[in-house]
Amino acid sequence: MLRKLMKNPAFLVGFVFLFGMFAVSIIYSIGWGNEVPKMDLLKDGEGNFLKAPYSPAEYPPLGTDNFNRNILLLIIVGAKYTIGAALVITLCRVIPSVVLGMILHFYLKPFRRIIDSIVDAANYFPPTLLSFLLLNWIILEGPLINPEGFPYDFLDKLLFYLIILIIISIPSLTLLFSNEYDKIMKQEFIDSSKVLGASKRHYIMNHIRPFILPQILLVSIREFMIVMLLIAHLGVLNIYIGGSSLEKDLFENPFFVSLSNEWSGLLGSWWQFLWTTYPWIPFIPVFFFTLTILSAKLMLIGATRVMETMGNDNRNATVQEEVFNSFQGKETFELVHKE
Amino acid sequence: MYIKTIGSMALKFVFVVFGIILLTGLIGLFNEGIDPSLRLYMVNIVDISSSLFHTASLTITNEANNTYPMFPAFWEPYFYSMSIFLSAFLLSVLLGILLAYLTHLLPARWSKFIIRATNLLESTPDIFILIVMQYSVIFILKETGVLLFPIVGSQDKVYFLPIVTLSILPTIMLFRIIYLLVNDEYSKPYVDLIKSRGMSKHSIFFIHILRNISFSLLNHAKSIILFLLSSLIVFERLFNIYGITHFILSFSQMDVICFSLIMFYLPVFLLLILIRLIIDRKTGQKVVI
């Protein structure tokens, strides 16, 4: 399956961009470290000093920001934190949900209706708002109001950020996988195994596994896109990965700076430049977020297409239906037809 | 039959409210330091529930530690957000149907291409759309000196630009869903029958097809609503809209959050019920929401 995926152009393009960005970032930090140097003042052709921040035309390729740092290097340094965090969050969301969904399906059947309804409530609590409210104190307010007595350092804040973003979507993902198992277990061949006395282990290894593996890939890619968007949204609300510090920029304005220079920090703190004479600055992180999300989408399109063409068994029917049903979100719906 | 339906929907509402209370109780554990103790969680939940029973005496506390009653201050941002949210939703449903109809009229090769192209487009992050829209307004202002719409809603309320910007992505999503559903519907035998009886394309689409897909459409509408809700928070922040998000963020006490979210859920819930009843009456299909 992996080789077929790599032959699909859409999947390949998305994959190359995503992991290329990630690899460049890691190679850069191994070779040159994480520091982004501040630029010296630039002169124009006639020897006059130019005013910072510089535009992409004055200082190619992407110009400098309000601390006169090279934006291209900032983006490269930040890429590994942003994409890395999104990857970690995605994996830690999906893998436990696969197992928890199984437990829910096999052992907690009687409570399904209640669990369904309560988890549905989480859908009306927008994840952006929920994670903001949970993270607000430790990432933003705590260090701001009481910098001396604040007991947590960068690593604590980073871990906390990851844990919160993982936990908030585990219930709905668990439900998604559980619904998936329901669908598989309703197939006709399951009945024949039941008659032959199959054990739970047998169902899981022989019947569920071949169906669920491609699903896991698709769900993971979709989840990655959701997480990237959530990270960007939190950046807008000034919640940066690993927290921020207050510094004075070139214009002597106090300014939230992300400690790791990851993209959501750049996005959140640069947005205000849209209204100034430097409107290109906020476009850069938004653009990179967009590229990342779109390349994940390309991977999703490629993977879906590969799975559709793989064999003419029942499998592709499930895959197609799933993709269409759980469009953009994680909820599948119970349909009750008229009797 | 109606009593049973209403009963199950009321139960659903109670469950969702309960879930919101449970989640809000969680926020209290991380409000001033991290204290994940079960005892505190229980206390929080009891506190929130009891203040929900006495909504009239809810208070808000501002940064200077002054406490005011929550009403009537709550209603203005609430209705402002609600009107933006609901208009964006209705606009995207109408536009989605219209676009699907127009695409349907196109030759099959073209519409297939459009559907493929929008597949990528629908995943564009909302912040990208937002920055492009905001910048275009600024750009037009700089070039021509004409402020098309007030961008930043500090004093007077802006409606047009936020609603349009907010509805772009849901429109694309709904357009795709509707188009795919319509295509499915056209492959059914009854369409051939009414075609052979000489019904016009126009009335086949708007009378028969649309009615028959409304059931599946409602199922998808819910995920669109959730998407809109998430986007709304970021939009309110970046358009500087003094709406419900602003209210929640500036007075983030648990009972205020909980009450605001329940109030936000209420119209969504009513809207879904209304659509459900209409579909029930028109097509006889029952939707679980």
Side-chain angles (χ1 to χ4, degrees), chain A residues 25-193:
Chain A
S25 177
I26 285 180
I27 292 169
Y28 180 82
S29 70
I30 292 171
W32 291 272
N34 262 337
E35 280 305 302
V36 180
K38 293 192 178 179
M39 304 297 303
D40 292 328
L41 287 177
L42 284 182
K43 286 178 189 170
D44 65 5
E46 290 145 22
N48 300 318
F49 283 109
L50 287 167
K51 260 171 81 182
Y54 305 122
S55 70
E58 288 163 340
Y59 188 81
L62 294 179
T64 62
D65 73 345
N66 54 330
F67 289 95
N68 212 4
R69 297 173 298 181
N70 185 337
I71 288 180
L72 180 70
L73 290 187
L74 275 178
I75 291 283
I76 289 177
V77 166
K80 63 175 172 297
Y81 293 104
T82 323
I83 298 176
L87 282 176
V88 169
I89 293 167
T90 306
L91 287 181
C92 296
R93 276 178 173 189
V94 172
I95 294 167
S97 305
V98 172
V99 180
L100 286 173
M102 234 170 242
I103 295 172
L104 186 63
H105 174 80
F106 283 112
Y107 297 102
L108 299 172
K109 243 333 177 4
F111 308 107
R112 270 300 292 279
R113 239 188 94 86
I114 300 171
I115 297 174
D116 275 9
S117 308
I118 292 180
V119 169
D120 191 47
N123 290 331
Y124 292 95
F125 208 133
T128 314
L129 190 63
L130 181 62
S131 39
F132 170 80
L133 291 170
L134 290 176
L135 290 167
N136 190 19
W137 184 82
I138 185 160
I139 303 248
L140 197 62
E141 269 184 1
L144 201 66
I145 293 172
N146 183 9
E148 302 303 316
F150 188 72
Y152 305 102
D153 63 359
F154 174 74
L155 201 66
D156 294 333
K157 285 194 273 186
L158 178 67
L159 276 179
F160 198 71
Y161 183 93
L162 297 179
I163 290 169
I164 292 289
L165 257 57
I166 290 164
I167 286 179
I168 56 165
S169 92
I170 283 201
S172 52
L173 263 184
T174 304
L175 221 56
L176 171 77
F177 278 111
S178 183
N179 285 334
E180 222 35 66
Y181 301 138
D182 285 350
K183 218 186 284 171
I184 297 167
M185 293 297 276
K186 273 190 194 130
Q187 307 239 6
E188 279 160 22
F189 61 81
I190 295 288
D191 291 336
S192 21
S193 328

Side-chain angles (χ1 to χ4, degrees), chain A residues 113-114 117-118 120-130 132-134 136-138 152 160 164 225 229 232-233 236-238 267 271 274-277 279 282-283 286-287 289-290 293-294 297-298 301 305 324-325 327-328 331 333-339, chain B residues 12 15-16 18-20 22-24 26-27 30-34 116 119-120 122-128 130-132 134-135 138 142 152 173 177 180 215 219-220 222-224 226-227 229-230 233-234 237-238 248-249 252 257 261 265 268 272 284 286 288:
Chain A
R113 239 188 94 86
I114 300 171
S117 308
I118 292 180
D120 191 47
N123 290 331
Y124 292 95
F125 208 133
T128 314
L129 190 63
L130 181 62
F132 170 80
L133 291 170
L134 290 176
N136 190 19
W137 184 82
I138 185 160
Y152 305 102
F160 198 71
I164 292 289
M225 292 164 58
L229 196 61
H233 282 180
V236 170
L237 297 173
N238 282 337
L267 173 74
W271 195 281
L274 195 62
W275 289 281
T276 63
T277 39
F283 268 95
V286 172
F287 197 61
F289 264 112
T290 310
I293 291 175
L294 288 186
K297 176 70 179 187
L298 275 177
I301 293 174
R305 210 161 288 159
F324 190 59
N325 270 344
F327 165 82
Q328 265 295 329
E331 58 288 327
F333 298 93
E334 196 188 331
L335 310 184
V336 180
H337 294 284
K338 194 173 174 128
E339 53 284 325
Chain B
K12 168 87 188 168
F15 272 133
V16 171
F18 184 58
I20 291 177
L22 287 185
L23 279 172
T24 330
L26 214 57
I27 289 166
F30 301 102
N31 242 350
E32 282 143 26
I34 299 167
R116 279 200 158 188
N119 193 4
L120 199 59
E122 84 177 1
S123 311
T124 321
D126 44 10
I127 42 167
F128 182 74
L130 199 105
I131 199 171
V132 169
Q134 282 195 344
Y135 184 67
I138 296 170
K142 272 182 188 163
V152 181
M173 292 170 181
I177 295 171
L180 294 172
F215 165 73
N219 282 332
H220 291 285
K222 209 178 105 174
S223 62
I224 301 286
L226 305 180
F227 176 82
L229 211 55
S230 259
I233 294 164
V234 177
R237 179 71 164 228
L238 291 177
I248 290 178
L249 295 188
S252 48
I257 297 167
L261 283 170
Y265 173 58
V268 173
L272 287 176
K286 281 202 181 47
V288 173

Side-chain angles (χ1 to χ4, degrees), chain B:
Chain B
M1 184 209 90
Y2 271 112
I3 294 173
K4 203 180 160 195
T5 323
I6 291 168
S8 81
M9 285 190 294
L11 197 65
K12 168 87 188 168
F13 185 74
V14 171
F15 272 133
V16 171
V17 169
F18 184 58
I20 291 177
I21 294 176
L22 287 185
L23 279 172
T24 330
L26 214 57
I27 289 166
L29 304 181
F30 301 102
N31 242 350
E32 282 143 26
I34 299 167
D35 182 15
S37 76
L38 195 63
R39 206 187 61 81
L40 183 61
Y41 185 54
M42 289 299 166
V43 171
N44 282 344
I45 288 177
V46 172
D47 279 355
I48 297 168
S49 317
S50 70
S51 57
L52 282 183
F53 280 112
H54 308 100
T55 34
S57 56
L58 273 174
T59 53
I60 46 178
T61 307
N62 66 4
E63 280 168 5
N65 262 334
N66 294 325
T67 304
Y68 306 101
M70 183 160 157
F71 302 99
F74 174 75
W75 296 117
E76 203 185 326
Y78 173 71
F79 283 119
Y80 188 21
S81 284
M82 245 16 262
S83 51
I84 288 180
F85 177 77
L86 287 178
S87 350
F89 179 68
L90 294 178
L91 182 68
S92 40
V93 171
L94 291 180
L95 277 180
I97 292 174
L98 190 69
L99 285 176
Y101 179 63
L102 292 179
T103 315
H104 182 75
L105 294 180
L106 291 174
R109 209 154 44 87
W110 288 21
S111 43
K112 210 174 168 187
F113 173 76
I114 292 177
I115 284 298
R116 279 200 158 188
T118 46
N119 193 4
L120 199 59
L121 208 64
E122 84 177 1
S123 311
T124 321
D126 44 10
I127 42 167
F128 182 74
I129 306 238
L130 199 105
I131 199 171
V132 169
M133 291 295 276
Q134 282 195 344
Y135 184 67
S136 352
V137 173
I138 296 170
F139 185 76
I140 292 171
L141 174 68
K142 272 182 188 163
E143 291 298 304
T144 64
V146 180
L147 184 57
L148 284 183
F149 317 103
I151 314 161
V152 181
S154 46
Q155 275 88 38
D156 27 304
K157 291 179 178 156
V158 285
Y159 286 98
F160 188 81
L161 197 63
I163 291 173
V164 169
T165 317
L166 192 59
S167 62
I168 289 177
L169 281 175
T171 302
I172 298 174
M173 292 170 181
L174 277 167
F175 155 68
R176 281 176 52 79
I177 295 171
I178 293 170
Y179 182 80
L180 294 172
L181 289 174
V182 164
N183 245 14
D184 266 3
E185 200 64 27
Y186 263 93
S187 62
K188 291 187 180 162
Y190 79 89
V191 180
D192 288 332
L193 179 71
I194 44 179
K195 258 187 201 159
S196 66
R197 290 186 60 187
M199 230 176 169
S200 74
K201 251 185 176 178
H202 182 79
S203 48
I204 291 177
F205 186 92
F206 284 101
I207 295 175
H208 292 280
I209 304 285
L210 215 53
R211 200 186 73 180
N212 288 338
I213 65 164
S214 58
F215 165 73
S216 326
L217 190 59
L218 180 60
N219 282 332
H220 291 285
K222 209 178 105 174
S223 62
I224 301 286
I225 287 178
L226 305 180
F227 176 82
L228 265 172
L229 211 55
S230 259
S231 287
L232 186 69
I233 294 164
V234 177
F235 275 62
E236 288 197 2
R237 179 71 164 228
L238 291 177
F239 274 114
N240 227 347
I241 289 172
Y242 191 87
I244 196 77
T245 314
H246 196 108
F247 194 82
I248 290 178
L249 295 188
S250 34
F251 310 109
S252 48
Q253 295 140 279
M254 285 181 290
D255 41 5
V256 176
I257 297 167
C258 193
F259 183 74
S260 313
L261 283 170
I262 292 171
M263 284 307 287
F264 214 88
Y265 173 58
L266 193 67
V268 173
F269 182 72
L270 292 177
L271 186 72
L272 287 176
I273 286 184
L274 187 71
I275 300 174
R276 180 186 155 153
L277 287 179
I278 293 172
I279 290 177
D280 199 2
R281 176 150 292 184
K282 287 268 179 206
T283 68
Q285 286 170 308
K286 281 202 181 47
V287 193
V288 173
I289 45 168

